[in-house]
Amino acid sequence: MPTMRAAFASRFDDADPLAALTVGERPEPTPPADDWVTVEVRASSLNHHDLWSLRGVGLTEAQLPMILGCDAAGVDPEGNEVVVYPVVATPGDPRGSSILSEHFPGTFAERVAVPRANLVPLPEGLTLTDAACLPTAWLTAWRMLTTKGRVDDADAVLVQGAGGGVATAAVALAVAMGKRVYATSRDAGKRERIAALGATAVEPGARLPERVGVVIETVGAATFDHSLKSAAPMARIVVSGATAGHEPKINLRRIFAMQLEILGTSMGTPGELYELLAFCADRQVRPVVDSVVPFSKVEEAFARLHGGEVFGKVVLDHTA
């Protein structure tokens, strides 16, 4: 059976997820249906989802070994440069769908099989390395701001915990949309880098000079009270993560008195990915890249993400 180089979860280790990562040979992808194609991966990027998979979140022992990775850009069978939309219809999943590396092998390999409908043309002006950052974190941020947050109706945006993939993407996108952007981070160095993106960087919990129309919330319990207090009347607080606690205390009187909306979201649609790619190409918005690591050193990329010091996306160059 033909094989290819891949990075995959071979077991689970909650205490030390890096110990569960294996880099080695895996069988070439076999498209499960006629409307699936195989993409030659040129670039991919890491998400915290990959670390959670190594811890055993969202996977079972029966699904191992599982090739990791949600994001990718590459070349389709006809030689076209494409971006891979990572959500796949999955009837056996309670959600009705899953993302690559959950039920279907992921993108940290030389090749990946996906439905042809999941391929979005790479716009002129974007590199494959840039595009590989967009389908998960940046798409989630785009949906949080646009479809869910209705940011066109807001003048100011608060992004909690900037530095991570989704939050940093939200800062860059909201600035490009012409909004006044406030962003929090506990790290002084990251606050400097946030400010360089065009946002007003503040410490967590700091009083803002104004209330905002949209709050981007990926932190959870540690920041949620600040999100509520910073929200203007009829503002939208959009949640896509809870890295610092998933059960915050909520002042319900503030919710109804200020007529606030708390909205949950995850990922986005193929149409939203197309819109995001076009926006980035037209406005010359480029993903914030922490580092580009050769695929031959994928273990180093995982270690960097796990270390928690990243600012933006860690990208894998599959040509190196």
Side-chain angles (χ1 to χ4, degrees):
M1 179 179 294
T3 62
M4 62 179 180
R5 192 78 167 164
F8 52 94
S10 55
R11 61 187 181 90
F12 303 134
D13 192 323
D14 185 51
D16 183 11
L18 299 184
L21 175 67
T22 299
V23 180
E25 298 297 311
R26 292 297 302 151
E28 290 274 356
T30 303
D34 292 340
D35 59 343
W36 284 56
V37 295
T38 299
V39 173
E40 294 279 345
V41 180
R42 295 287 185 265
S44 61
S45 67
L46 275 67
N47 295 283
H48 281 282
H49 180 275
D50 302 310
L51 291 175
W52 286 113
S53 295
L54 292 170
R55 291 185 171 102
V57 178
L59 291 175
T60 65
E61 294 280 353
Q63 292 171 284
L64 297 178
M66 175 61 75
I67 298 175
L68 301 171
C70 311
D71 292 338
V75 179
D76 72 8
E78 289 71 44
N80 303 304
E81 292 184 326
V82 295
V83 185
V84 176
Y85 174 67
V87 181
V88 181
T90 313
D93 190 285
R95 302 164 295 180
S97 63
S98 63
I99 61 176
L100 295 174
S101 77
E102 291 182 341
H103 291 277
F104 301 97
T107 59
F108 295 163
E110 296 177 60
R111 283 164 287 280
V112 62
V114 296
R116 184 176 288 276
N118 284 46
L119 302 184
V120 180
L122 179 74
E124 186 176 348
L126 281 183
T127 67
L128 290 168
T129 298
D130 286 338
C133 298
L134 302 179
T136 298
W138 278 67
L139 178 58
T140 298
W142 176 262
R143 181 176 174 84
M144 292 177 81
L145 287 165
T146 59
T147 306
K148 292 289 187 175
R150 307 191 301 280
V151 73
D152 285 347
D153 298 332
D155 295 319
V157 176
L158 168 63
V159 180
Q160 297 284 19
V166 174
T168 304
V171 169
L173 289 169
V175 168
M177 294 170 180
K179 306 301 176 181
R180 294 188 297 277
V181 181
Y182 304 94
T184 67
S185 176
R186 294 176 298 174
D187 185 280
K190 289 183 178 180
R191 289 198 296 273
E192 289 183 9
R193 299 186 69 176
I194 292 165
L197 295 176
T200 298
V202 298
E203 294 185 10
R207 185 181 181 89
L208 305 183
E210 61 180 318
R211 287 195 171 105
V212 303
V214 177
V215 180
I216 301 300
E217 177 62 81
T218 64
V219 179
T223 58
F224 209 82
D225 185 61
H226 182 239
S227 293
L228 290 172
K229 291 177 178 177
S230 301
M234 303 183 73
R236 281 76 63 197
I237 300 173
V238 190
V239 183
S240 71
T243 57
H246 64 281
E247 294 183 338
K249 292 182 178 180
I250 297 178
N251 184 338
L252 293 178
R253 287 178 293 187
R254 182 177 292 273
I255 300 293
F256 65 74
M258 299 286 282
Q259 300 189 60
L260 303 179
E261 297 179 49
I262 300 175
L263 305 162
T265 192
S266 178
M267 296 295 295
T269 66
E272 287 166 336
L273 178 57
Y274 182 89
E275 293 170 358
L276 169 62
L277 288 165
F279 180 88
C280 289
D282 293 344
R283 303 288 184 92
Q284 297 187 331
V285 177
R286 296 297 177 265
V288 180
V289 175
D290 174 87
S291 52
V292 178
V293 180
F295 186 68
S296 58
K297 298 182 179 179
V298 61
E299 298 99 327
E300 295 181 11
F302 269 85
R304 181 161 182 81
L305 181 65
H306 185 248
E309 298 303 318
V310 300
F311 187 88
K313 297 292 290 180
V314 177
V315 179
L316 294 173
D317 180 356
H318 288 237
T319 67

